[in-house]
Amino acid sequence: MIVTDSEHRISDICAEWRAEGLSVGFVPTMGAFHRGHLSLVEIAVASSDRVVVSIFVNPMQFGPDEDLDRYPRNLEKDCKSVEELGASVVFTPRTDVVYPDGFSTGVYVAGMSEGLCGAARPGHFDGVTTVCAVLFGIVRPDLAVFGMKDAQQLAVIRRMVSDLRMGIDIVAAPIVREFDGLAMSSRNQYLSVEEREQACFISIGLEMALVLFRMGERNCEVLRNAFLSKLEDAPLLKVQYVETVDPDTMLGVEQVEKQVLLAVAVFAGKTRLIDNILIELEV
Ligand code: PAF
């Protein structure tokens, strides 16, 4: 497996693969891999001939008071794990490679990047779409894999790729959970023992809402309240938002007709955790 920070090397390698008729899968990441990331790489390896994984902690998607400086980094271990899974190249660009002097372009997906995490983290999705547009331009993949835990990111990226006719197949990977249901996240390692114990109430609350839905409840306010009432059992958790939205548009939904995403953001101490569950009528 090749590990490189050179944009030109990556572009050349991918161009050679395309010339040989090989499909290129891409997994953009910020590193500090857990099983969730590795599942994205597994999906890319199973669906394409060659796989590029990028590791870049993107300053543009962090707010001034966020955890950019302490975001976990583990390059050597990360490279080893994706090599074992069959990735062909790891791209580790420096910030001045992604954003060279004079870089002046931003990609902004109106509407759907403004609610939920977009409201809580102003400018966050502009950073995500801009960096993904740059990385897509360098790698020019046939497909790219994104996790469903970041459901709003997935929807925003899909919209960008469709609006800008990027011709990339965006593949959604299911959420990978810890033994007690907590969604895997690089930020879980910030949790104290007590916070970690209570963090499982997030997925338990989401499951409670799903159970109510399966019993016939269709009113989204009742489903949101089911989640909130479960969190009362976890005093260290503070809800930032709990929303029911259409998973494609991220617009609010009040009655389940076909599909609704119940999406939440919760603080455990200073650590912000997100999770969601898709609630859908079986056809
Ligand atoms: O999901 C992430 O890790 C990041 O938002 C991404 C897609 C790699 C862009 O920096």
Side-chain angles (χ1 to χ4, degrees):
M1 190 184 72
I2 297 166
V3 181
T4 179
D5 63 1
S6 159
E7 163 180 355
H8 300 294
R9 182 129 191 250
I10 288 287
S11 296
D12 289 351
I13 293 170
C14 295
E16 274 168 34
W17 288 336
R18 278 192 299 276
E20 289 170 35
L22 300 172
S23 63
V24 180
F26 180 42
V27 185
T29 79
M30 300 206 297
F33 293 161
H34 48 67
R35 280 195 289 116
H37 293 108
L38 301 183
S39 78
L40 310 184
V41 178
E42 279 167 351
I43 291 173
V45 167
S47 348
S48 28
D49 297 316
R50 296 287 182 272
V51 170
V52 178
V53 177
S54 66
I55 298 178
F56 176 61
V57 182
N58 174 32
M60 201 176 172
Q61 69 188 73
F62 287 79
D65 300 325
E66 293 184 348
D67 56 344
L68 173 63
D69 293 336
R70 66 175 187 134
Y71 196 83
R73 288 158 171 88
N74 210 338
L75 186 58
E76 210 172 305
K77 186 162 165 269
D78 287 351
C79 289
K80 197 162 171 286
S81 6
V82 296
E83 180 169 24
E84 281 164 11
L85 294 177
S88 309
V89 180
V90 176
F91 179 39
T92 57
R94 291 190 319 269
T95 303
D96 63 346
V97 168
V98 177
Y99 303 118
D101 264 357
F103 187 94
S104 319
T105 300
V107 181
Y108 165 58
V109 177
M112 62 166 59
S113 49
E114 284 150 22
L116 290 87
C117 291
R121 305 179 69 189
H124 168 70
F125 287 112
D126 304 347
V128 171
T129 42
T130 302
V131 79
C132 286
V134 171
L135 295 169
F136 288 167
I138 295 170
V139 176
R140 298 182 183 272
D142 297 286
L143 71 84
V145 188
F146 288 83
M148 286 165 67
K149 181 168 82 75
D150 298 295
Q152 188 176 11
Q153 168 170 283
L154 175 67
V156 167
I157 293 287
R158 282 203 157 124
R159 186 80 252 168
M160 172 186 80
V161 165
S162 160
D163 286 354
L164 300 183
R165 296 1 178 238
M166 289 176 158
I168 302 166
D169 185 13
I170 301 299
V171 178
I175 299 176
V176 178
R177 297 183 180 279
E178 301 280 1
F179 70 97
D180 60 354
L182 176 65
M184 295 230 167
S185 163
S186 308
R187 293 185 169 105
N188 290 352
Q189 57 188 277
Y190 299 155
L191 300 172
S192 69
V193 174
E194 295 77 17
E195 289 163 355
R196 174 63 191 83
E197 272 168 17
Q198 295 191 14
C200 66
F201 280 85
I202 301 170
S203 62
I204 296 173
L206 293 173
E207 285 293 336
M208 285 277 293
L210 184 63
V211 168
L212 270 190
F213 168 76
R214 289 195 174 134
M215 287 165 65
E217 185 57 64
R218 297 291 178 265
N219 183 313
C220 291
E221 190 180 0
V222 177
L223 300 178
R224 292 192 301 267
N225 285 339
F227 172 80
L228 288 171
S229 65
K230 194 70 221 166
L231 258 67
E232 284 167 13
D233 299 340
L236 295 179
L237 304 184
K238 301 274 170 282
V239 176
Q240 185 180 48
Y241 69 71
V242 44
E243 302 228 18
T244 40
V245 295
D246 176 307
D248 298 322
T249 62
M250 294 291 132
L251 293 175
V253 174
E254 284 307 322
Q255 197 70 20
V256 188
E257 274 162 18
K258 267 182 3 208
Q259 271 196 335
V260 167
L261 186 81
L262 175 59
V264 302
V266 173
F267 276 99
K270 287 193 171 134
T271 306
R272 185 173 176 278
L273 303 170
I274 58 170
D275 200 351
N276 65 74
I277 198 163
L278 192 64
I279 290 177
E280 59 186 337
L281 288 173
E282 280 162 23
V283 276

